[in-house]
């Protein structure tokens, strides 16, 4: 079955710097890759997603990139702010294939003011 | 925020007792999911539903059952709770059938002693 690995498990950056979180997946049939943000004690929230027919997607300060050949995708956060501090989860799915979303283990991001 | 209510929010119970968690949505979404969240494992799908009385297993379904008698309610039952089922449980919903959760509830923290 699908396996998603996420790195690093913890990331600490200075406010204003960029943060990058990387994920790899094992099933080459996966074609949809959402990212979720979970603040301490709160619910996960879908923040951005990308489909396999697109190499990059951007939404204000966050962007996702996808390399299908290498089977890895990344979340980029620019100009980080303290409110970006949270746990971020990547996930992989195969739309239309009866395949359930598989999550990475999460990255705890600390943004130091 | 999407209208998803989980109850109870916290529960402590003893090994061997039955436990039922409830998820109620006001969005009229067809798809509902139960996840458990444990450190180092991200979110793992327990069961999901694609309509009234239509349910299927996720990756960690052993020891759990579900029921959906109305569009708005999705119940998760632990028939005989074990300490390994101590976790935070999240309900989620989605409008499409693409198996990725779009909106999560606030979670239920369940402790089995």
């Amino acid at each position: 079955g699908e396996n998603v690995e996420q790195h690093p498990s913890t990331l600490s950056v200075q406010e204003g710097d960029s943060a990058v979180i990387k994920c790899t997946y094992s099933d080459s049939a996966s074609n949809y890759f959402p990212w979720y943000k979970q603040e301490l004690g709160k619910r996960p929230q879908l923040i951005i997603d990308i489909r396999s027919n697109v190499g990059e997607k951007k939404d204000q300060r966050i962007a996702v990139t996808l390399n299908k050949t290498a089977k890895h995708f990344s979340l980029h956060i620019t100009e980080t702010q303290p409110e970006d501090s949270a746990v971020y989860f990547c996930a992989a799915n195969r739309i239309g294939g009866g395949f359930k979303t598989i999550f990475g283990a999460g990255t705890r991001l600390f943004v130091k003011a | 925020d999407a209208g998803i209510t989980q109850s109870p929010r916290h529960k402590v119970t003893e090994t061997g007792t039955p436990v039922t968690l409830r998820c109620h949505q006001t969005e009229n979404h067809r798809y509902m999911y139960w996840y458990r969240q444990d450190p180092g494992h991200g979110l793992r799908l327990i069961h999901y539903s694609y309509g009234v009385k239509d349910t299927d297993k996720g990756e960690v379904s052993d020891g759990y059952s579900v029921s959906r008698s109305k569009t708005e309610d999705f119940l998760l039952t632990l028939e005989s709770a074990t300490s390994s089922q101590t976790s935070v449980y999240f309900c989620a919903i989605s409008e499409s059938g693409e198996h990725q959760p779009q909106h999560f509830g606030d979670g239920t923290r369940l402790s089995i002693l």
Side-chain angles (χ1 to χ4, degrees):
Chain A
E2 174 67 286
N3 183 50
V4 176
E5 293 190 359
Q6 184 171 347
H7 300 280
S9 57
T10 305
L11 178 60
S12 183
V13 300
Q14 202 68 37
E15 182 179 1
D17 289 349
S18 295
V20 180
I21 301 170
K22 299 180 180 181
C23 290
T24 60
Y25 59 98
S26 59
D27 188 346
S28 56
S30 292
N31 55 14
Y32 176 73
F33 307 92
W35 285 87
Y36 297 84
K37 174 184 179 182
Q38 186 178 27
E39 297 177 7
L40 189 62
K42 299 290 183 63
R43 67 180 76 181
Q45 291 185 299
L46 178 65
I47 56 171
I48 196 167
D49 55 20
I50 191 168
R51 295 177 186 259
S52 59
N53 59 347
V54 175
E56 183 174 355
K57 183 176 180 179
K58 193 172 182 180
D59 182 4
Q60 299 183 332
R61 293 186 299 106
I62 60 173
V64 290
T65 58
L66 171 65
N67 183 327
K68 286 190 295 183
T69 302
K71 289 191 285 187
H72 68 69
F73 56 112
S74 301
L75 177 71
H76 304 254
I77 306 174
T78 58
E79 300 172 19
T80 54
Q81 301 168 3
E83 52 265 39
D84 294 329
S85 296
V87 178
Y88 291 82
F89 294 97
C90 64
N93 189 6
R94 178 157 48 100
I95 295 173
F99 180 70
K100 292 91 174 177
T101 302
I102 300 297
F103 286 81
T107 296
R108 185 173 295 278
L109 173 65
F110 296 96
V111 179
K112 296 176 287 186
Chain B
D1 285 343
I4 308 171
T5 304
Q6 289 186 233
S7 58
R9 293 293 317 281
H10 303 272
K11 187 173 181 66
V12 180
T13 191
E14 294 183 346
T15 300
T17 60
V19 177
T20 295
L21 308 183
R22 180 180 183 241
C23 178
H24 177 79
Q25 59 139 335
T26 58
E27 306 297 317
N28 201 36
H29 284 356
R30 180 178 173 187
Y31 300 88
M32 299 186 74
Y33 314 82
W34 277 108
Y35 287 86
R36 60 177 290 173
Q37 184 174 38
D38 305 289
H41 289 279
L43 290 146
R44 293 181 291 174
L45 181 66
I46 305 171
H47 283 279
Y48 69 100
S49 170
Y50 46 97
V52 174
K53 298 193 189 312
D54 291 323
T55 64
D56 201 357
K57 296 178 180 180
E59 59 185 310
V60 289
S61 59
D62 288 348
Y64 301 95
S65 62
V66 290
S67 66
R68 190 161 177 209
S69 58
K70 298 185 291 185
T71 298
E72 57 267 35
D73 290 326
F74 192 31
L75 303 180
L76 176 70
T77 297
L78 291 66
E79 303 289 348
S80 178
T82 67
S83 58
S84 64
Q85 293 176 312
T86 292
S87 186
V88 180
Y89 291 85
F90 284 98
C91 173
I93 62 174
S94 67
E95 195 170 11
S96 73
E98 296 177 337
H99 294 289
Q100 76 282 1
Q102 289 178 296
H103 307 287
F104 285 84
D106 287 326
T108 294
R109 186 171 296 275
L110 178 63
S111 297
I112 314 294
L113 305 179

